[in-house]
Amino acid sequence: MQQHIVVPKWTMIFNSYRRISVTLIFRIFVVFVNSCIFCTSFTAQASNIDSLENVLASFKGSNLEKGNLLIDLSNIYWRSGDTVKMKASILDAINLAQKEGLEHVEKRAYTSLGNYYSTAQDYYLAHFYYKKAEKLCIMLNDTEYLCTIYFSLLRSFMFIEDHLNMLFYADKLLETISEWYDIETLIPIDSTKINLNDRMQRYIVTAQYYKGVATLSNEIPQDRLDFFIGLFQKTNIPNEGLLEMRIVSAIECGNIYAQINQPRKALQYLHFAREHSEFYLMPGSVKYLSTANALIAEAYAKLNQMDSAIYYINQLGETQLFFDHFAYSLHYRARIAIETAKGNYQKAFEIQKEFFFFTDSISKAEKSEDMARMKNWQELEQKDLENEFLQEERQKQQKLIKILTVALILIFALFPLIIIFYRKTTKKNSELQKEHTEKDKLFSVMSLQKDDIERKNRDISDSINYAKRIQTSILPPSDILEVTFPDSFIYFAPRGEVSGDFYWVTEIKGKLLCCCADGIGHGVPGAFMSMIGATLLNDIVKRPEILSPADILTRLDFEITSLLQKNIEEHSQEGLDMSIVEIDLQTYKIKIASAKRPVYLYSNDELTVYKGVRRSIGDQISDYNAPPFVNIEYVGKPNDKIYLFSDGYADQFGGPHGKKLMISAVKQMLDEIHHKPMKEQFGIIKNNFLNWKNTQEQVDDVVFIGIGL
């Protein structure tokens, strides 16, 4: 495994001054060049506008040429900053196209409006016009232009994190391109399309990237890692349009490696992303640079290389104005990792609370802005529907006029009947119009309510998933115990996405330490306690004064009570019940200490239960008479079995009568299966829990650990 060298302080200072100098020189150069060409470019642009306006004033060509000329003029207005004339020019082109049946001109006009609103970050209106252009492309069978529309829709839905529509339009884009290109090799099937190679390669890789983001967001890290490593390798071809996808793939790989606690591998990809984002000009390069700096700082903090971590977190100051929500969350994550590595747990806890406050404020602001944009979009959609309805009404009226014209011959004879027929028709049309309007109002209200509920659920789900990723990165993998004791297992079944119960395993000074912790509470509050507990355990066991499990429990109790700043009057429900087993890997001497959680030992088929001290971690703040934590010692023998478990297993309701499983049933189960191999015991314990629970809701988190000597 490649190890990244720590950056010396003098090198950091030199690089910082070098970057500032280069940036300053570049900005002076840009100002100078802009000053030189401003008058020329402004005069040329004004000349282009005047020329096109003069051409339009005296234009005598075809309507198709005039429509395209109007769109070209609108683009020049846009570049000059005159959005009022830009919109007016496009609307003239649309009116001309609809009047003369010029679908190609109408398609271009709707695309220009979609691009304008997408640039203005009004994505609802952008979607509205892109979809109008999409309908025209399908009607005209213009698949090449349709690919451009699908690509624009895909990116606009990405900006509002609409995964369902991202997946839909990624599939649409890949399906359309597959008529000419091999999706896997990026090679044209149709040789006549080689002139589109660079653009279509970019479309294919971008669609695959967003499809992966939409479908793999809830998958296990290894599946997501394999996907983005493959995409990183796939984009290593001579095509500058793929550089952006190569950078974002490298950032995804680095982020996943950081989450699964492999910081050295993460740095290999993150340094690539940082270097290319820093020295290449492209849309989003500043955002990618910010993201890479934050992840690099977090990786160095996990490696305890604090000078490098602080160096890269300080680089964020140059690009902080361009942060999006995700990049800013990584910034907070890096700061938390740095403070935790320093042992500043109170500071890390304060940063975590600051991040949740920031996330909540951003979510409220985005919600308010999105509601305003949704209202504008729905007003436009309603207006479009009304125009279609009015057009249908005009057609009906024209048909009625034709009928009346033919009937003029019989008007004197049939005049009374005509009057009756006309009145009935008018009344019916009025009723239909009223019914149509009421249905539209009801549909609008229901649509707004549905979107509001979906967005709230999405916000809550995103927050819980983020907490789950943090907890997963802190806890060790479930198969870590099997490295030292192959005949062992860990059954971990959280009640929800995050868990208040947790397990913890480490090997230090020739001894294996295994902990089963039962948090008081579950869900997000319980997860906070589990993450605090696991983080503190990692620090406590490294201290020279800690010599036994009882010492660990005593120190952990002190750290948690100090961190949470409790007092006698608060009667807080925060705390942990916990059992710890220490196994000397040379002598098999075993020490057991416990806070309210039993430890079961089977030796020579005989069961011994260590019930532990009747106090929890963190709930005896001022009771100086509270019993101290003690060690139970004995020398283990081959085939001895040790079991630790939280109360969630025994407290589960189920069975034929919907009652608790109870600790007595757990003891009976272990009496029957303790002589079997641990792999088989794991299956029995898991299936017994699931069968007992059946369709009942799980009431608490579950941790069940078995160690076979």
Side-chain angles (χ1 to χ4, degrees):
M1 180 183 296
Q2 183 179 0
Q3 182 174 1
H4 198 277
I5 301 173
V6 178
V7 181
K9 289 184 177 179
W10 64 267
T11 304
M12 298 177 188
I13 297 171
F14 174 77
N15 288 339
S16 179
Y17 280 111
R18 176 182 62 81
R19 183 176 294 103
I20 294 171
S21 301
V22 171
T23 304
L24 182 60
I25 292 170
F26 176 74
R27 289 178 178 174
I28 293 172
F29 175 74
V30 170
V31 171
F32 174 75
V33 173
N34 285 339
S35 299
C36 292
I37 68 173
F38 174 75
C39 294
T40 304
S41 63
F42 181 81
T43 304
Q45 193 172 61
S47 177
N48 287 337
I49 293 174
D50 292 340
S51 298
L52 284 175
E53 288 178 342
N54 292 334
V55 170
L56 277 171
S58 59
F59 187 76
K60 296 182 180 179
S62 67
N63 288 322
L64 176 61
E65 293 172 338
K66 183 177 181 180
N68 286 323
L69 197 62
L70 282 167
I71 295 174
D72 293 338
L73 180 60
S74 74
N75 290 332
I76 296 177
Y77 282 139
W78 186 9
R79 287 194 294 272
S80 68
D82 193 341
T83 58
V84 175
K85 288 187 176 180
M86 181 272 292
K87 292 180 182 178
S89 184
I90 289 181
L91 290 176
D92 288 342
I94 291 173
N95 292 332
L96 176 65
Q98 291 177 345
K99 181 180 178 181
E100 302 296 335
L102 304 175
E103 289 84 1
H104 286 283
V105 174
E106 190 176 3
K107 168 194 69 180
R108 284 191 62 201
Y110 286 140
T111 304
S112 295
L113 280 175
N115 294 337
Y116 166 73
Y117 283 112
S118 181
T119 304
Q121 297 183 352
D122 194 341
Y123 300 111
Y124 293 110
L125 284 178
H127 298 157
F128 177 77
Y129 288 111
Y130 282 143
K131 288 179 180 180
K132 279 182 167 289
E134 177 193 7
K135 290 179 181 178
L136 290 169
C137 288
I138 294 172
M139 184 183 70
L140 296 169
N141 197 26
D142 189 350
T143 52
E144 183 179 321
Y145 201 90
L146 186 60
C147 289
T148 302
I149 297 300
Y150 284 152
F151 180 76
S152 300
L153 280 165
L154 177 60
R155 287 183 66 86
S156 61
F157 278 115
M158 177 274 295
F159 286 121
I160 60 174
E161 298 182 0
D162 187 340
H163 286 181
L164 188 61
N165 276 308
M166 283 170 59
L167 185 60
F168 177 77
Y169 284 104
D171 286 335
K172 282 281 188 182
L173 179 56
L174 291 173
E175 179 184 349
T176 305
I177 297 178
S178 64
E179 297 178 11
W180 321 318
Y181 279 76
D182 187 318
I183 301 301
E184 297 302 322
T185 63
L186 306 181
I187 298 174
I189 299 172
D190 184 351
S191 59
T192 63
K193 302 297 183 182
I194 192 67
N195 60 312
L196 303 173
N197 196 44
D198 288 351
R199 183 154 55 98
M200 290 304 166
Q201 283 181 350
R202 181 184 175 217
Y203 285 0
I204 292 170
V205 173
T206 304
Q208 290 174 335
Y209 170 77
Y210 290 136
K211 186 176 180 181
V213 170
T215 57
L216 296 172
S217 58
N218 294 322
E219 297 296 326
I220 60 176
Q222 189 60 49
D223 288 347
R224 290 187 285 121
L225 183 61
D226 292 342
F227 172 80
F228 290 116
I229 288 176
L231 199 62
F232 178 79
Q233 296 170 347
K234 189 173 188 176
T235 52
N236 188 22
I237 59 176
N239 181 347
E240 290 190 9
L242 298 183
L243 178 59
E244 183 178 6
M245 284 297 101
R246 188 161 172 79
I247 289 174
V248 297
S249 299
I251 290 175
E252 293 283 1
C253 293
N255 188 24
I256 297 171
Y257 272 124
Q259 291 177 17
I260 61 177
N261 207 21
Q262 296 189 35
R264 296 188 189 279
K265 287 188 177 180
L267 287 172
Q268 297 175 10
Y269 289 94
L270 295 173
H271 277 296
F272 171 88
R274 184 183 188 277
E275 291 166 5
H276 287 75
S277 298
E278 186 175 20
F279 295 107
Y280 287 85
L281 296 176
M282 66 182 69
S285 59
V286 177
K287 168 187 171 181
Y288 303 143
L289 180 59
S290 303
T291 304
N293 278 332
L295 287 170
I296 290 172
E298 181 187 27
Y300 277 125
K302 289 185 177 181
L303 292 172
N304 207 24
Q305 297 179 14
M306 303 310 299
D307 289 344
S308 296
I310 294 172
Y311 169 75
Y312 284 104
I313 202 70
N314 288 338
Q315 299 305 301
L316 295 171
E318 301 178 13
T319 56
Q320 191 156 348
L321 292 176
F322 297 89
F323 277 179
D324 65 353
H325 189 190
F326 177 70
Y328 212 68
S329 68
L330 294 178
H331 176 216
Y332 273 100
R333 203 170 84 182
R335 290 172 59 196
I336 291 171
I338 290 173
E339 297 301 332
T340 302
K342 288 180 179 180
N344 298 335
Y345 305 112
Q346 183 65 38
K347 180 66 174 176
F349 189 65
E350 292 298 326
I351 294 173
Q352 182 70 51
K353 291 196 296 184
E354 179 185 340
F355 170 67
F356 279 115
F357 176 78
F358 165 78
T359 302
D360 184 62
S361 62
I362 288 294
S363 176
K364 290 178 179 177
E366 289 178 347
K367 179 180 178 182
S368 176
E369 188 178 47
D370 285 348
M371 288 294 289
R373 289 177 176 170
M374 173 65 80
K375 183 178 180 181
N376 291 335
W377 173 79
Q378 290 200 338
E379 288 176 354
L380 188 61
E381 182 76 16
Q382 181 66 28
K383 185 177 179 181
D384 192 60
L385 290 173
E386 289 175 357
N387 289 336
E388 291 181 1
F389 178 77
L390 290 174
Q391 189 174 0
E392 291 177 359
E393 288 296 308
R394 291 192 194 101
Q395 292 174 355
K396 290 179 181 179
Q397 290 176 3
Q398 290 173 0
K399 184 177 180 181
L400 182 60
I401 291 172
K402 289 180 180 179
I403 294 172
L404 291 175
T405 302
V406 174
L408 281 176
I409 302 171
L410 304 174
I411 192 153
F412 294 105
L414 302 176
F415 183 76
L417 295 176
I418 293 172
I419 294 297
I420 294 172
F421 174 76
Y422 177 76
R423 288 177 177 175
K424 287 184 177 180
T425 303
T426 305
K427 182 179 180 181
K428 184 176 181 181
N429 288 340
S430 177
E431 291 174 351
L432 287 174
Q433 185 174 5
K434 183 178 179 181
E435 182 181 353
H436 183 73
T437 303
E438 291 177 352
K439 287 182 178 179
D440 284 346
K441 290 181 180 178
L442 180 61
F443 174 80
S444 298
V445 173
M446 293 176 65
S447 179
L448 285 173
Q449 292 175 343
K450 175 177 176 291
D451 291 343
D452 186 48
I453 292 171
E454 287 177 350
R455 180 169 295 279
K456 288 180 179 178
N457 289 338
R458 213 163 38 241
D459 290 343
I460 294 170
S461 178
D462 289 345
S463 298
I464 293 176
N465 286 334
Y466 182 72
K468 180 182 179 181
R469 289 196 296 270
I470 295 175
Q471 186 178 44
T472 303
S473 66
I474 292 175
L475 296 181
S478 60
D479 59 353
I480 188 172
L481 188 58
E482 298 178 25
V483 175
T484 306
F485 292 101
D487 192 28
S488 302
F489 68 83
I490 297 176
Y491 176 47
F492 182 45
R495 177 190 174 191
E497 292 294 327
V498 291
S499 174
D501 296 0
F502 68 98
Y503 60 89
W504 176 82
V505 180
T506 190
E507 186 177 328
I508 187 169
K509 300 177 184 179
K511 298 176 182 179
L512 179 80
L513 288 168
C514 180
C515 164
C516 175
D518 189 337
I520 299 175
H522 44 255
V524 174
F528 266 107
M529 285 303 301
S530 71
M531 287 186 283
I532 292 171
T535 304
L536 289 174
L537 285 171
N538 286 325
D539 178 69
I540 289 172
V541 297
K542 297 176 184 177
R543 301 182 185 181
E545 69 271 19
I546 303 302
L547 303 176
S548 69
D551 293 340
I552 295 174
L553 293 180
T554 302
R555 187 63 191 180
L556 181 63
D557 178 67
F558 173 79
E559 294 282 359
I560 287 180
T561 55
S562 299
L563 182 63
L564 298 179
Q565 299 178 349
K566 294 183 183 177
N567 55 51
I568 299 174
E569 289 77 19
E570 287 180 316
H571 299 293
S572 177
Q573 294 299 313
E574 298 161 327
L576 294 169
D577 296 341
M578 179 183 297
S579 55
I580 301 180
V581 174
E582 177 193 278
I583 304 175
D584 191 312
L585 300 179
Q586 297 296 326
T587 64
Y588 272 34
K589 183 176 181 180
I590 297 173
K591 295 180 181 179
I592 300 171
S594 176
K596 281 192 176 181
R597 291 308 308 153
V599 178
Y600 282 24
L601 166 67
Y602 283 90
S603 181
N604 296 327
D605 287 336
E606 292 183 4
L607 171 64
T608 303
V609 179
Y610 299 101
K611 295 184 177 180
V613 176
R614 298 299 298 173
R615 60 179 285 200
S616 297
I617 302 296
D619 69 345
Q620 300 288 341
I621 309 325
S622 60
D623 188 358
Y624 297 102
N625 297 320
F629 298 108
V630 297
N631 294 310
I632 304 298
E633 301 183 14
Y634 88 103
V635 178
K637 298 182 292 298
N639 296 322
D640 282 1
K641 305 292 173 60
I642 303 172
Y643 299 92
L644 304 87
F645 47 87
S646 63
D647 62 5
Y649 195 100
D651 289 346
Q652 179 59 46
F653 289 92
H657 304 294
K659 296 183 177 181
K660 281 188 179 182
L661 183 63
M662 304 301 289
I663 192 68
S664 58
V666 177
K667 176 179 176 300
Q668 181 179 352
M669 175 184 66
L670 293 177
D671 286 340
E672 295 172 358
I673 69 171
H674 71 270
H675 60 280
K676 296 183 178 182
M678 283 294 188
K679 296 292 184 184
E680 186 176 347
Q681 290 188 46
F682 171 80
I684 295 172
I685 290 170
K686 178 180 178 180
N687 291 333
N688 181 65
F689 179 78
L690 295 177
N691 292 336
W692 178 265
K693 180 170 73 73
N694 199 4
T695 58
Q696 294 271 8
E697 182 181 359
Q698 186 170 333
V699 298
D700 201 356
D701 305 314
V702 173
V703 177
F704 206 119
I705 302 173
I707 306 174
L709 302 184

